[in-house]
Amino acid sequence: MPADYTINNYLNNLKNQLIKNDVLEYQIILNDIEMRMKSLLQVWNDKELRRGILLFAKEEAQFYQPEASIDIKSFVITTIRNSLIESVSSSGYKSAGFKNQLDEKQIKPITSYAIRFFKKFNFEEACNNLKIQNNDNYYLVLINKYPLAWNIIYKTANLKSFEFYFDPIHVEEKNFISLPSPNNCQLSKDNYFVLEDGMTPAYNELLYQLLKDVAHSKKTGFFTDSFKVLTRNFEKTLQILQYLLERNRIFVTFNYYLSNGYVSVRKELLKPAHKKVDIQYKIKVTHSLSKRHRNFLKQLANKENEKSLL
């Protein structure tokens, strides 16, 4: 069955789900998801490229239900959960242009239905019939825009082992990217998490200052619990990685250690945190890590530097 037909069929069902949940501005969400789906499906049969694009979703994909292949669940997260669905479910839904908010109880049936729907979809066969121009492909455009970040992600997603050393990729300092000016941010009740739309391209003051501190001080590493805790915005993730890697800084989550010259992946991925206590527990779980990754987390735990734990 052609990919266009399947996508349209799915979007019609999603439209009904959104209307049922009083999301009146459903069309902008449907357009956003359609763009992401077609862009990803266009390159689906390039397995190595596909692994790179899906990497940001893999940390949470293994914990999604119902059961399906990790690629199908990562596809649902990448194209649906990491879309404007996030904006309408955030505390800033009104500023994002939505009158009503989706809560987590309403989102879970949406992602579960999508997994069941696409389990029946023959990705490899259908995607051969999907034709869009490369310069209209959301993911390919961003891959070309942040080449160093993508190169590191590509290597990480296609590791043959759990770690890999390689010759650092040189970038001229004159070509280094800069960060956009920060916006004001809203903190959680315990002043621990920033409350914002996970799809926003803007930088809150805390994230902006932390990135600056890492880039221009003696700090060599930036730590966050997971990709989704940092942001669900695909471009923003690549932008942050590009900014740090150009300056020879390390990017670390509980599952990934990324640098320009060395990358490693935890053998058994840990679930992204929902609460502060999750992070306090996970920082002590250092088995199935490379020595370099393990040492970084141990040093972080010893310093008890909570300002670094986003």
Side-chain angles (χ1 to χ4, degrees), residues 160-175:
K160 302 300 181 183
S161 180
F162 66 95
E163 64 179 341
F164 178 58
Y165 293 85
F166 55 94
D167 292 333
I169 301 163
H170 178 69
V171 180
E172 294 286 345
E173 187 171 348
K174 65 181 180 180
N175 295 323

Side-chain angles (χ1 to χ4, degrees), residues 14-224:
L14 177 58
K15 174 182 175 180
N16 293 333
Q17 287 179 296
L18 294 174
I19 292 174
K20 182 179 178 181
N21 288 311
D22 296 321
V23 179
L24 305 179
E25 307 83 2
Y26 57 81
Q27 193 59 53
I28 187 175
I29 296 175
L30 299 180
N31 292 343
D32 184 51
I33 292 174
E34 180 181 16
M35 174 271 293
R36 295 173 191 277
M37 284 186 171
K38 288 185 175 180
S39 294
L40 180 49
L41 291 177
Q42 183 196 15
V43 299
W44 188 264
N45 288 332
D46 184 333
K47 293 181 180 179
E48 294 183 342
L49 181 62
R50 179 177 84 212
R51 290 189 196 112
I53 295 172
L54 296 179
L55 181 119
F56 299 148
K58 197 172 181 181
E59 288 177 298
E60 57 180 321
Q62 61 180 331
F63 301 101
Y64 267 50
Q65 294 295 330
E67 285 303 315
S69 73
I70 194 68
D71 275 0
I72 289 175
K73 291 194 282 188
S74 295
F75 171 81
V76 168
I77 293 171
T78 301
T79 62
I80 301 170
R81 187 62 186 87
N82 295 355
S83 74
L84 289 180
I85 285 283
E86 163 66 14
S87 297
V88 75
S89 66
S90 74
S91 59
Y93 67 97
K94 289 184 178 179
S95 61
F98 298 100
K99 293 182 179 178
N100 299 308
Q101 182 182 20
L102 283 177
D103 61 31
E104 191 61 34
K105 292 181 180 179
Q106 294 169 312
I107 292 179
K108 190 172 181 180
I110 290 175
T111 56
S112 297
Y113 173 82
I115 292 170
R116 290 194 298 271
F117 183 94
F118 285 105
K119 277 179 70 172
K120 304 173 185 177
F121 180 49
N122 187 326
F123 282 78
E124 287 74 14
E125 180 180 332
C127 298
N128 290 326
N129 300 318
L130 186 63
K131 303 296 181 185
I132 62 175
Q133 297 298 317
N134 285 352
N135 56 7
D136 291 327
N137 187 301
Y138 173 75
Y139 298 105
L140 293 182
V141 167
L142 295 178
I143 285 168
N144 291 326
K145 187 175 180 180
Y146 305 102
L148 176 58
W150 172 251
N151 198 304
I152 303 305
I153 288 299
Y154 185 88
K155 292 180 188 300
T156 306
N158 291 286
L159 287 179
K160 302 300 181 183
S161 180
F162 66 95
E163 64 179 341
F164 178 58
Y165 293 85
F166 55 94
D167 292 333
I169 301 163
H170 178 69
V171 180
E172 294 286 345
E173 187 171 348
K174 65 181 180 180
N175 295 323
F176 284 6
I177 67 169
S178 57
L179 298 177
S181 299
N183 292 343
N184 293 328
C185 60
Q186 179 185 1
L187 296 177
S188 61
K189 292 180 180 179
D190 60 1
N191 293 328
Y192 195 74
F193 285 105
V194 172
L195 301 175
E196 65 178 357
D197 177 357
M199 287 300 293
T200 180
Y203 285 76
N204 63 68
E205 293 174 350
L206 292 180
L207 175 58
Y208 178 86
Q209 194 55 54
L210 180 56
L211 288 168
K212 287 289 186 179
D213 287 347
V214 172
H216 300 295
S217 71
K218 294 181 179 179
K219 291 183 180 180
T220 60
F222 173 89
F223 173 81
T224 184

Side-chain angles (χ1 to χ4, degrees), residues 297-308:
L297 293 183
K298 284 183 175 180
Q299 290 175 9
L300 192 65
N302 290 337
K303 292 177 181 178
E304 295 181 350
N305 184 7
E306 295 187 352
K307 290 183 180 179
S308 296

